[in-house]
Amino acid sequence: MTDDVILGIAIDCTDPRLLARFWMTALPYVEASPPAGWASWEDFLTAWDVPESEWNDGAAIEPENGSGPTISFLKVPEPKQTKNRVHLDVKVSGGRHVDPQTRESRIRAKQAELLAAGAVNLTEHRAGDHLDHFVMADPEGNEFCIA
């Protein structure tokens, strides 16, 4: 095994910038830095003669603190058609050891923020009398959980 293997997550979509903005709201992520040697993505794309009409063919975000995988959004021609086999979890509750009312308050606060950003509720899951997590969809229908 080598030390140069890095995890990155790629999400197919029809509007990379839209989804990048949404996921920067959902997670503590920022727009990914341009390649080394370039002041901006626009400078990089211009230098490589990428037509401006193709500048939304991809977008990338990275953790604010530098810890964690980058997430890339890649434009594809077909819309999402079936349930995700892999999904992202937005973990905000603090874990199951946290008081159920505190967990629920944290989960519902993030849910409200993401609904305002374009997410859709799919299902609510309870553990007995307490909220456990929500399954939601991002603006392009990709499922994720808030727990």
Side-chain angles (χ1 to χ4, degrees):
M1 181 138 192
T2 64
D3 292 336
D4 58 349
V5 176
I6 298 171
L7 173 66
I9 299 169
I11 299 175
D12 291 348
C13 58
T14 59
D15 190 341
R17 286 183 187 155
L18 171 76
L19 276 196
R21 283 191 306 271
F22 173 83
W23 284 101
M24 284 189 290
T25 299
L27 303 169
Y29 273 57
V30 296
E31 181 179 25
S33 302
W38 301 98
S40 69
W41 281 104
E42 291 78 13
D43 291 345
F44 173 80
L45 295 169
T46 300
W48 284 94
D49 294 323
V50 176
E52 197 167 333
S53 63
E54 296 177 12
W55 286 11
N56 191 31
D57 284 0
I61 61 176
E62 61 192 10
E64 285 177 337
N65 66 6
S67 177
T70 58
I71 303 175
S72 300
F73 303 90
L74 308 172
K75 187 173 189 173
V76 296
E78 69 279 353
K80 180 182 174 301
Q81 296 184 19
T82 62
K83 181 183 181 303
N84 300 8
R85 293 296 301 256
V86 174
H87 68 267
L88 302 180
D89 284 342
V90 178
K91 296 181 177 183
V92 297
S93 71
R96 291 177 190 237
H97 66 282
V98 173
D99 170 71
Q101 288 77 24
T102 301
R103 280 178 46 83
E104 182 163 345
S105 175
R106 292 173 179 172
I107 292 169
R108 288 193 184 282
K110 191 62 163 180
Q111 175 201 31
E113 179 183 15
L114 297 181
L115 287 170
V120 175
N121 281 322
L122 297 179
T123 58
E124 177 179 318
H125 294 266
R126 301 192 71 77
D129 293 337
H130 306 291
L131 175 65
D132 186 63
H133 68 280
F134 283 106
V135 178
M136 300 182 77
D138 71 16
E140 290 204 9
N142 300 299
E143 296 91 0
F144 66 96
C145 293
I146 300 178

